[in-house]
Amino acid sequence: MPTAPTTKSVAVLPGDGIGPEVVDAALAAVARLDLPLDLRFGDIGWEFWRQEGDPVPQRTWKLLEETDTCLLGAITSKPVRETEAELVPELRGTGLHYVSPVIQLRQRLGLYANIRPVTDLDHGRFDFTVIRENTEGLYAGLDLHGLDGALWDAVRHHPNAAASGPEHTSVTLRLQTRFGIDRLLRFGFEHALARGKRLLTLVDKPMVLRNSSNHLRERLELIAGEYPGIETEILNVDAVALWMVRRPERFGVLVAENMFGDILSDLGAGVMGGLGLAPSGNIGDHGSYFEPVHGSAPAMAGLGRANPMAVLLTVSQLLDHLGLPVPGEELRAAVRRVARARTTVTYDLGGTAGTREVAEAVADALARPADRAAAARPAVAAAGRGVLPTAAEPGTGGATDEVVDRLARLDTASVSDALDSLGVPGVLAGLAARVPGARTAGRAFTVTYRPVDATVPGFRNAANYLDEVPAGSFVVVDNHGGTECTNWGSLLTVVARSRGARGTAVHGSARDVAEIRAAGYPLFSTGVTMVSGKNRVELAATGRDVTIGAVTVRAGDVIVADDNGVLVVPAGLAAEVADRAERVEATEAAIAEAVTGGSRLDEARRTFGYAKPWEGPARGTGDA
């Protein structure tokens, strides 16, 4: 029997203003994915400050302790005078101090990294991330009015301070510590690796904030040595703002201190098309929460006009964090389809649809669970090994979303060992990674080309099949290994990403490799050439079996790919292969740990069963 997906618990805090209505509409759409989520609702926001004197009641902290992550709707905060005036009468004058729930969450949960994806939903021209430090910088809370002691001594010689006096002078300190800088930079590098990005840009003002910026530079140069595959640069924040507008495609991952990151991430929302499209996540070592970038917009509350797309994209980011990247990408792809069509969008995108209408359109664009299961197919074992179970049927161990997610996290070497243990060939020979560092998995969408029939006139629209590619697919293009013309390029990459494809393997040639590499799209091919396939090849079929070398790929099989190459896992064996590959990695990890601890390699191999690593690192007598 296949292992049931582990249920993840999510604290849902709708909050203030438009928060409850956009969260409610978005979650109704997400329900279409039938995910293993336990949604537990809690209290947060301005009304709880007014009535209870605490915008984050103790019961909410208890809920956050009991759940895996949190979805936050929107928060209203007001200036100092209003915070006291709007308390219920019995709480006024009791010495209560309002602290924004967002600041409370970030500080108490230790959420030091704010992740703001910036993506072109219409055309796929850019896809980068702003990572903002959450706990230090100018927003560290060291904001003082009326100075004395060392602070006054530090500023008293400024002519404006001297003219104003200590009681009428304010200072905000920009806190930057080695501890805070290092963990943020490492988070940025790891994020770049996970997303296949090859450029990390540190954003600051080094020619003005000379000493603190030099501190940043020194830490960057030190930590960059741990990530030799990623280029780094340090740019002025004003220059970055200009290039985000003019050439956003040049960026991969931007890392910035708190205030600069705050400004750039909102600029990123504008580059995307507005705050109604901008998601965010806040991550720490032991906690997280996710929220749309837009505010609570109290004047719009209850009107049903707010754009729910930011919450939907936020949920997709949350699903990635919970280890559910396949449904996360399906949700993103559905939002892209609706945003691109512009037929059912809210006022901020030039439409007239309401909140629920847009969410329902996204729900309709999602593949339903039954549709996804139907994409799987019966798999047949190698000759002489009988018939394998039918994929996605109850009890058969087929290629469920969870299984695809697990395979996506595994090294192809481990998956290959697992296939070998079952006597099933899986290597798609000759396909090389064109985008270093990419690791992905998805269900095969097969495409077959043939030479153009010269007797039939007219232009061949050979790539229109991409309009039909389901989200979460891995496109497998078969030009029978021919490398004399290309079957994939940058334009097809843009379309594939907009459809939610997880990668492409071309049994033939690709071109525009530099642009595809910059986009971070997983591409694998037999060859590379600049020669166009226009009017040289034409589409023969989609969904047809494809044979590469001695291995056959069928629609619905799981393609697993990384720098080592490309494998196909028969859909009916996907769960078993994932189980065995995970045990392979556990065995090798146990051997490595033992050797690091002083054991001989041959002894560690015998102890942990290296001869049959797919059985797991049980202590045994395996032959080294």
Side-chain angles (χ1 to χ4, degrees), residues 16 36 263 299 326 545:
D16 301 314
I263 295 168
V326 171
D545 290 358

Side-chain angles (χ1 to χ4, degrees), residues 174 202-214 216 234-239 257 260:
R174 180 167 108 139
L202 180 61
V203 185
D204 210 66
K205 196 68 175 172
M207 302 306 293
V208 177
L209 303 170
R210 301 180 69 85
N211 293 320
S212 58
S213 281
N214 189 59
L216 280 172
I234 304 175
L235 295 182
N236 281 314
V237 61
D238 43 356
E257 66 91 41
F260 291 155

Side-chain angles (χ1 to χ4, degrees), residues 145 152 156 158-170:
H145 177 72
W152 175 245
R156 64 188 304 169
H158 191 286
N160 294 356
S164 301
E167 67 277 11
H168 297 298
T169 299
S170 301

